[in-house]
Amino acid sequence: MAVDIGEMLDRLLTEGARHSDDAHDYELTMVPLGDVTLPTGRVVACDPLARTGEALPFTVSVPPGRYPLRAWVAVAYLAVSGLMPCRSLATVPAAPGPLWLNRVEADRRTAALHLVIRDEPITSWEPALVTGPAELDEDGFVVHPVDTGLATLADERALEALSTWDYADVEKVFVPSVPPDTPGLVGTVTDPATGATVLAVEPGSGDGAYASFVGRTATGEVAAFVTDFRVL
């Protein structure tokens, strides 16, 4: 059965959207990561620590500039069959009796990486293609491999610069001794001459191969690039 890209991405990019499976309830929340500087406007989806110099940009480019990067985090809740007392009342008003909940937070995973080009409604989505040979998944989408537990949407120039770094510098910035909380944000300016940046997160499904998509406005302008980490 063909994948409905619009339906798939709508469930990833909606604040407070709820989804369930046999074990968990999931709720989506957006986490702003900061601006990404694109000096060339040629965007690449890749693992920034693996085959960085070989990663190919998308066939669709955008005007050079600074654009917001967002992570969409799926918060997983355990379904609780009965009522459960909550003893922490620090964040709720005083009540005459105990507070009761019917779910408990179990996990957080980064479900998608979202580079905003135009903060306008997206009316259509298309698979993101790259400027050369590519690996395809079972649905026929172009995917990029993740081998070191990090993924990014960054400018081609930023990644070319990163590929020249000494490993000690890479390790200091992108392999922290204490892993950051979900979405696991790491990154910095990689090319001081242009200000190009690489901001990376931990895919919620770990190492694997992930597809990216291009969102367009009603007038056909590029509004966003999104990588789906196959959490939902």
Side-chain angles (χ1 to χ4, degrees):
M1 182 173 62
V3 175
D4 186 326
I5 300 174
E7 179 181 355
M8 177 182 70
L9 294 176
D10 282 347
R11 70 181 181 180
L12 286 176
L13 309 180
T14 300
E15 182 69 31
R18 299 278 297 276
H19 308 279
S20 299
D21 60 23
D22 293 338
H24 298 93
D25 294 324
Y26 293 93
E27 186 171 306
L28 271 294
T29 189
M30 189 273 286
V31 178
L33 304 178
D35 288 347
V36 174
T37 299
L38 307 179
T40 72
R42 294 189 293 272
V43 179
V44 180
C46 71
D47 179 334
L49 304 188
R51 299 190 293 273
T52 303
E54 303 171 14
L56 297 173
F58 299 137
T59 56
V60 173
S61 61
V62 298
R66 288 167 57 89
Y67 299 99
L69 188 66
R70 301 169 177 172
W72 288 88
V73 175
V75 184
Y77 295 93
L78 287 174
V80 179
S81 58
L83 294 179
M84 179 176 179
C86 176
R87 301 185 183 279
S88 175
L89 302 178
T91 60
V92 298
L99 180 69
W100 300 91
L101 301 176
N102 60 7
R103 62 178 188 168
V104 293
E105 183 175 326
D107 195 14
R108 288 174 177 258
R109 297 187 181 190
T110 306
L113 190 59
H114 178 193
L115 182 60
V116 180
I117 306 301
R118 292 174 178 265
D119 199 4
E120 300 177 19
I122 295 173
T123 61
S124 65
W125 290 96
E126 63 197 51
L129 306 179
V130 295
T131 59
E135 179 183 347
L136 304 180
D137 67 10
E138 64 272 17
D139 297 311
F141 298 140
V142 171
V143 292
H144 73 270
V146 170
D147 299 320
T148 71
L150 289 177
T152 190
L153 288 166
D155 193 272
E156 181 181 46
R157 181 70 190 92
L159 294 163
E160 288 174 349
L162 180 60
S163 69
T164 68
W165 280 26
D166 292 336
Y167 181 76
D169 294 328
V170 172
E171 185 177 32
K172 181 178 179 180
V173 174
F174 291 95
V175 191
S177 57
V178 178
D181 294 337
T182 302
L185 175 65
V186 293
T188 189
V189 173
T190 61
D191 183 34
T194 63
T197 47
V198 173
L199 301 179
V201 299
E202 297 178 342
S205 297
D207 290 348
Y210 300 109
S212 297
F213 303 89
V214 182
R216 295 185 183 271
T217 67
T219 59
E221 301 289 342
V222 175
F225 297 99
V226 174
T227 303
D228 172 20
F229 295 135
R230 308 187 74 160
V231 171
L232 301 180

